[in-house]
């Protein structure tokens, strides 16, 4: 438990202002988030709606909360009053629901479309063809800021690199669809340096900062 302060500083130095660091704090106690907050961190990423809502209630109000998990439509309402950026939008239905809840809260919610780039079956997201058919303009209270993707969990760094390249290519094609993207969210603890080299400007880092996660506590 606890925050690795040295690692935090090292990562910020490595990013050198080229990418936003989202500190992924799922399963970690609020004390750990507060410790990182006290070092100046403001962007935090969570995967579970209830956990995010509980943490948001007790932590400083100027934290920018990123939802990076798989979001179910029926839970959008719980985070829509305050969420800063939803990274994992992977269906038109979800976009419609986010739009609806954004209207209720009288705000615009920023979103990233999640693209399926990995070889694994378990990861969510649009494929290339689906991405081109997203009817984003039907949802005035949703603002598509860019793309998010997760590379394969693999030691084959050539594979990972090619997946990042593929995501960057799709990102660069968004203007042809009328989207002017500014955020490419790719890279985690194990691959963020390569992600930056391949054009990422937002990395989601958990275990390097907070240590390994224990889901069985
Ligand atoms: C958990 C998670 C991360 C952080 O993973 P680490 O390997 O601990 O850095 C990043 N992105 C998503 C979508 C995650 O679910």
């Amino acid at each position: 438990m606890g925050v690795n302060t040295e690692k935090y500083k090292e990562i910020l130095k490595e990013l050198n202002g080229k990418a936003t660091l989202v500190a992924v704090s799922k399963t970690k106690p609020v004390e750990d988030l507060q410790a990182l907050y006290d070092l100046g961190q403001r962007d935090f990423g969570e995967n579970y709606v209830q956990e995010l809502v509980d943490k948001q209630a007790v932590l400083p109000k100027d934290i920018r909360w990123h939802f990076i998990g798989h979001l179910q439509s029926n839970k959008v309402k719980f985070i829509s009053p305050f969420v800063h950026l939803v990274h994992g939008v992977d269906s038109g239905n979800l976009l419609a629901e986010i739009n609806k809840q954004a209207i209720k809260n009288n705000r615009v919610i920023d979103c990233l479309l999640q693209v399926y780039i990995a070889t694994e079956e378990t990861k969510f997201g649009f494929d290339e063809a689906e991405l081109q058919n997203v009817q984003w303009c039907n949802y005035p209270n949703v603002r598509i800021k860019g793309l998010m993707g997760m590379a394969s969990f693999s030691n084959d760094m050539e594979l990972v690199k090619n997946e990042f390249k593929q995501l960057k290519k799709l990102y660069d094609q968004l203007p042809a669809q009328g989207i002017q993207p500014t955020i490419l969210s790719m890279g985690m603890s194990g691959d963020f340096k390569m992600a930056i080299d391949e054009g990422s400007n937002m990395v989601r880092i958990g275990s390097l900062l907070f240590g390994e996660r224990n889901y069985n506590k």
Side-chain angles (χ1 to χ4, degrees), residues 57-114:
V58 298
L59 284 161
K61 293 299 170 234
D62 61 340
I63 287 180
R64 293 181 287 270
W65 292 103
H66 298 244
F67 190 82
I68 64 168
H70 180 61
L71 185 56
Q72 290 169 286
S73 290
N74 61 352
K75 296 202 172 153
V76 173
K77 57 177 177 285
F78 299 115
I79 62 170
S80 49
F82 64 85
V83 71
H84 174 70
L85 181 65
V86 180
H87 287 232
V89 176
D90 60 357
S91 76
N93 285 344
L94 185 54
L95 268 184
E97 180 61 19
I98 294 171
N99 186 60
K100 185 175 140 194
Q101 296 300 333
I103 291 169
K104 272 193 186 163
N105 286 281
N106 196 20
R107 62 181 295 225
V108 171
I109 297 182
D110 289 338
C111 294
L112 303 178
L113 301 175
Q114 183 168 356

Side-chain angles (χ1 to χ4, degrees), residues 179-197:
I179 298 174
Q180 303 303 327
T182 53
I183 301 177
L184 180 56
S185 168
M186 64 181 192
M188 311 181 10
S189 288
D191 55 22
F192 80 93
K193 289 180 195 174
M194 179 177 275
I196 300 284
D197 288 343

Side-chain angles (χ1 to χ4, degrees), residues 115-164:
V115 182
Y116 179 87
I117 50 171
T119 49
E120 291 130 40
E121 286 295 322
T122 53
K123 288 186 176 137
F124 296 100
F126 294 104
D127 65 25
E128 186 168 350
E130 289 166 344
L131 191 64
Q132 271 150 16
N133 287 319
V134 176
Q135 298 300 311
W136 58 271
C137 31
N138 296 345
Y139 308 115
N141 286 55
V142 167
R143 187 163 43 212
I144 307 292
K145 301 280 278 188
L147 301 180
M148 180 271 222
M150 284 169 88
S152 295
F153 188 72
S154 167
N155 291 326
D156 180 351
M157 289 321 265
E158 210 45 44
L159 173 74
V160 171
K161 189 181 189 168
N162 282 324
E163 291 171 354
F164 286 152

Side-chain angles (χ1 to χ4, degrees), residues 4 7-8 10-11 14-15 20-26 28 36 68 149-155 157 160 164 185-196 200 202-213 215:
N4 189 333
K7 213 34 163 193
Y8 177 60
E10 210 179 293
I11 291 168
E14 184 87 38
L15 298 181
T20 303
L21 170 63
V22 177
V24 176
S25 45
K26 59 183 177 230
K28 298 298 175 183
L36 208 55
I68 64 168
M150 284 169 88
S152 295
F153 188 72
S154 167
N155 291 326
M157 289 321 265
V160 171
F164 286 152
S185 168
M186 64 181 192
M188 311 181 10
S189 288
D191 55 22
F192 80 93
K193 289 180 195 174
M194 179 177 275
I196 300 284
S200 166
M202 185 173 278
V203 295
R204 309 174 309 270
I205 297 183
S207 40
L208 276 185
L209 293 170
F210 296 108
E212 293 300 322
R213 287 176 291 275
Y215 288 97

